Amino acid sequence: MSALLEIDAVTRRFGGLTAVDGFSGVVRRGERVGLIGPNGAGKTTLFNLISGFTPVSSGEIRFDARVMAGMKSFQIARLGVGRTFQNLRIFPNMTVFDNVSVGAIGAAGHSVWKALARNRSAAETVSAGTWAALERTGLTDLAGQLAANLSYGRRKYLEIARALALEPELLILDEPAAGLNDTETAELAGFVEGLNADGTTVLLVEHDMGFVMSLCQRVMVMASGRKIADGTPAEIGRDAQVLEAYLGTEEGT
Amino acid sequence: MSGELSKSFPRLAPLLALGALFVVAPLVLYASGSGYAFRVATTIGVFAILTVSANFITGTTGLLSLGHAAFYGVGAYTAALSATGFGWPFWVTLPFAGLVTALIGILLALPTMRLVSIHFAVATLGLGEIIHVTLLNWVDFTRGPMGIPAIPGIAIPGLFKASDVSNYFAVAVIAAITVFVIHRLTHSYYGNALRALREDDQCAETMGLDIVRLKIEVFAVSCFFAGVAGALWSHTTGYISPNDFRFNESILILAMIVVGGLGSIPGAIVGATLLLALPEVLRPIGDYRMIVVGSVMFLSILFLPRGIFGEVSALDLMRRQFGAAWRRDGRVGWR
Ligand SMILES: Nc1ncnc2c1ncn2[C@@H]1O[C@H](COP(=O)(O)OP(=O)(O)OP(=O)(O)O)[C@@H](O)[C@H]1O
Ligand SMILES: [Mg+2]
């Protein structure tokens, strides 16, 4: 399998704090990879670096062999990186359909002239992409609802749908199972597996160990901004450093 | 039955609006027998163009612009100077004023496009003041506080002469075109991209939207129509001075779109009509009328958080604008 995402000695500092510290890692095409680590380890910061939300202090990130340095986050998105947020960031005053359409617009590009001319084919591309993403996430029936009126669980799928409408090669999910009950978590695991089977590479952060260990083929472990382990779930479960990192900061998770 | 009606209503609405604008309103104004009524209606029309364009940038896209009246002033002066200086007719000065205003708007706004929320608002306030001070002090060019008199009215030689009625119809036609263009932009996927900017521009960017380009486009379109409104004001009133384009006019425009409802085109028009017609209707009660107008604004914010037709609450938008200014994770000020 070829490398889709390559993270090469990436560091991000916030003033005196080094949130990500020389992190290196690879996500290969078609993989399901988990990223775990105690609170404040720098996982979300790493996701922000990958999606161009925050610039790197040093190091290099490559997507599909292209160096992403200097790219704005919309360019990275259009290359094929879709993401969700740890603290949900849906567009509350817009309908479910309109929320998801934003991803499709991002993929198709936007033009003020085409909007003025009522360009048919541009509108149809966006509409088709939006309905397809709604279909995949089971939100079709809720398309006309205001996003603010959705239940918490549905909102999580809404965020995923919006990212899927970008037709990303790589989907990065920041704590997708947080706040879901056991049934919902199991359902989500099946859903993510389905996405992956359809050809989307998945990188996800999650604190729910059962979820990560059963869903992911490979797990990277982060502590204090550094990568301390990288391997199959079974290997990670045996790793002494990982156990220490977890026992040292949290009780028994 | 009622379902059918509500389905056919959106198709009918433009026809009804055009009928009201070009048939009913002129007849009523004519029946009232005074040029004064036509002049009030003309002012409402000019402000409707201003509110619809301001609503496009503030209500739909969520960029709080506090300098709209200044761009309106740029258009007014461009039209007035080119009409009095070069003798250009209104159908040349109108688009010219729009283009000049859009260009100046883009040049001035370019450095502010990466400013976040409330910082953008403060920058537009500054831009507005710079423009006003320039109009006031560049005496050789603008005649400063003396203003520009004797701006020709709206007329086509051989066809019709300038009058209160010709002014009304010219403003009505341009207002209809403005609504048509802005409606096309907001009621399309392009409009969804703009609303996403309003809701959360950082997040919208990670969904693939080129937010700086979108902001510049919106600013250009909005300034274009503000400039056109200014040109109409010049030609319909015949005299302009820098005082017509001060900060308090920007606030008045903002109040109109908040009362009408942020993000709604009918709301912008109703807001302009309400806040301009009310003082006229209430003229008999003298100075108390401004208290009534103020109360309408106050009460509508209190009891109609989304205005009359809005898609987003004004207070909520404000809270988010201020909130983003000191969000812990935010690069404060600049992005
Ligand atoms: N914009 C920022 N400015 C300053 N410090 C930041 C910023 N973003 C993150 N940090 C700090 O960087 C460190 C890593 O945070 P991050 O959110 O990446 O952790 P995390 O692994 O996602 O944690 P959690 O599991 O709680 O989500 C924390 O100490 C955090 O306070
Ligand atoms: Mg996190």
Side-chain angles (χ1 to χ4, degrees):
Chain A
M1 281 188 289
S2 61
L4 182 61
L5 178 73
E6 297 162 275
I7 304 164
D8 198 354
V10 162
T11 296
R12 169 70 206 193
R13 289 182 208 92
F14 293 112
L17 179 99
T18 307
V20 175
D21 190 0
F23 190 101
S24 296
V26 176
V27 176
R28 294 180 196 87
R29 217 174 283 274
E31 265 190 317
R32 295 191 296 272
V33 179
L35 176 64
I36 62 171
N39 289 110
K43 307 179 294 294
T44 297
T45 305
L46 185 63
F47 272 19
N48 288 344
L49 296 173
I50 295 169
S51 60
F53 212 69
T54 324
V56 296
S57 301
S58 68
E60 192 174 276
I61 302 176
R62 287 182 297 276
F63 180 75
D64 214 0
R66 248 177 295 201
V67 178
M68 300 205 288
M71 276 195 204
K72 291 185 186 152
S73 57
F74 81 89
Q75 293 167 314
I76 293 172
R78 287 180 187 181
L79 276 184
V81 181
R83 75 167 293 181
T84 64
F85 295 89
Q86 180 172 355
N87 48 340
L88 286 174
R89 289 175 83 158
I90 56 170
F91 306 129
N93 296 304
M94 294 165 67
T95 63
V96 167
F97 183 91
D98 287 354
N99 263 269
V100 176
S101 76
V102 174
I105 296 165
H110 44 78
S111 151
V112 67
W113 305 114
K114 284 187 180 171
L116 276 177
R118 282 272 147 98
N119 184 291
R120 269 281 162 74
S121 73
E124 274 162 13
T125 310
V126 171
S127 147
T130 307
W131 284 117
L134 288 169
E135 198 83 36
R136 289 173 85 180
T137 46
L139 291 172
T140 311
D141 293 342
L142 299 171
Q145 294 271 334
L146 214 55
N149 296 343
L150 293 192
S151 69
Y152 182 73
R154 293 295 113 191
R155 287 184 196 197
K156 295 221 132 180
Y157 279 96
L158 175 57
E159 266 215 339
I160 297 177
R162 191 176 61 184
L164 284 178
L166 261 170
E167 292 179 20
E169 259 193 282
L170 173 69
L171 183 63
I172 57 184
L173 305 171
D174 199 347
E175 307 206 8
L180 300 184
N181 64 29
D182 289 350
T183 333
E184 291 169 329
T185 304
E187 190 189 310
L188 180 73
F191 173 72
V192 173
E193 223 170 328
L195 290 182
N196 182 244
D198 292 342
T200 310
T201 307
V202 177
L203 170 64
L204 59 86
V205 161
E206 189 46 71
H207 284 293
D208 183 333
M209 284 306 149
F211 180 85
V212 176
M213 295 301 178
S214 64
L215 178 64
C216 295
Q217 300 152 331
R218 198 155 58 80
V219 176
M220 299 192 269
V221 189
M222 198 173 186
S224 310
R226 290 197 197 87
K227 189 166 89 172
I228 56 168
D230 188 340
T232 62
E235 287 164 356
I236 296 299
R238 290 193 299 267
D239 194 297
Q241 251 188 308
V242 174
L243 294 177
E244 193 189 298
Y246 269 89
L247 294 176
T249 48
E250 283 183 314
E251 295 85 69
T253 314
Chain B
M1 179 65 209
S2 72
E4 250 167 56
L5 197 68
S6 65
K7 247 186 213 155
S8 59
F9 183 70
R11 289 163 182 268
L12 240 60
L15 281 179
L16 290 177
L18 288 177
L21 192 60
F22 291 105
V23 182
V24 181
L27 285 178
V28 171
L29 294 172
Y30 191 71
S32 79
S34 74
Y36 179 72
F38 271 101
R39 285 197 291 279
V40 171
T42 302
T43 306
I44 291 176
V46 170
F47 271 81
I49 299 172
L50 285 172
T51 52
V52 167
S53 59
N55 185 50
F56 184 57
I57 194 163
T58 299
T60 303
T61 316
L63 298 168
L64 182 57
S65 172
L66 298 176
H68 211 62
F71 293 109
Y72 168 50
V74 169
Y77 269 85
T78 307
L81 290 170
S82 55
T84 55
F86 310 138
W88 290 358
F90 81 95
W91 44 269
V92 178
T93 61
L94 234 57
F96 181 65
L99 288 175
V100 168
T101 310
L103 204 69
I104 290 182
I106 293 173
L107 287 181
L108 288 181
L110 223 43
T112 68
M113 283 303 159
R114 293 200 78 81
L115 285 174
V116 170
S117 59
I118 200 70
H119 303 273
F120 175 85
V122 174
T124 57
L125 177 96
L127 290 181
E129 284 309 292
I130 290 170
I131 291 173
H132 178 240
V133 169
T134 308
L135 293 178
L136 201 58
N137 292 310
W138 195 359
V139 178
D140 292 343
F141 189 52
T142 66
R143 292 172 39 97
M146 290 178 297
I148 300 178
I151 306 162
I154 293 181
I156 294 182
L159 214 56
F160 61 84
K161 286 197 303 229
S163 71
D164 291 332
V165 179
S166 74
N167 286 345
Y168 171 84
F169 277 103
V171 169
V173 168
I174 304 295
I177 294 174
T178 307
V179 168
F180 175 78
V181 170
I182 301 287
H183 183 271
R184 279 221 153 173
L185 292 178
T186 53
H187 289 68
S188 63
Y189 288 116
Y190 188 80
N192 281 2
L194 302 183
R195 282 184 269 277
L197 276 195
R198 174 189 71 204
E199 300 288 296
D200 185 341
D201 62 344
Q202 268 188 317
C203 173
E205 191 176 10
T206 49
M207 296 301 133
L209 302 190
D210 185 347
I211 62 173
V212 172
R213 177 176 145 190
L214 284 171
K215 285 181 186 177
I216 291 173
E217 288 171 355
V218 167
F219 210 79
V221 170
S222 177
C223 283
F224 177 87
F225 286 110
V228 168
L232 285 172
W233 183 250
S234 282
H235 286 290
T236 56
T237 57
Y239 170 78
I240 54 168
S241 79
N243 278 349
D244 300 346
F245 314 109
R246 288 169 63 181
F247 176 62
N248 46 6
E249 296 295 301
S250 294
I251 293 301
L252 178 63
I253 295 167
L254 212 54
M256 289 168 172
I257 64 178
V258 167
V259 168
L262 289 175
S264 156
I265 294 175
I269 298 168
V270 169
T273 310
L274 206 62
L275 291 196
L276 287 172
L278 215 51
E280 298 303 329
V281 175
L282 296 175
R283 209 164 266 284
I285 63 171
D287 283 344
Y288 293 113
R289 69 206 170 106
M290 290 333 277
I291 299 178
V292 177
V293 173
S295 311
V296 166
M297 280 157 58
F298 178 73
L299 292 174
S300 69
I301 289 203
L302 212 58
F303 294 113
L304 295 170
R306 287 166 186 263
I308 301 174
F309 297 113
E311 53 187 37
V312 56
S313 141
L315 287 179
D316 184 43
L317 193 69
M318 283 298 174
R319 192 176 51 73
R320 278 191 280 140
Q321 298 254 327
F322 279 99
W326 48 77
R327 208 158 47 198
R328 191 184 66 102
D329 68 310
R331 281 145 281 178
V332 172
W334 296 88
R335 304 180 11 90

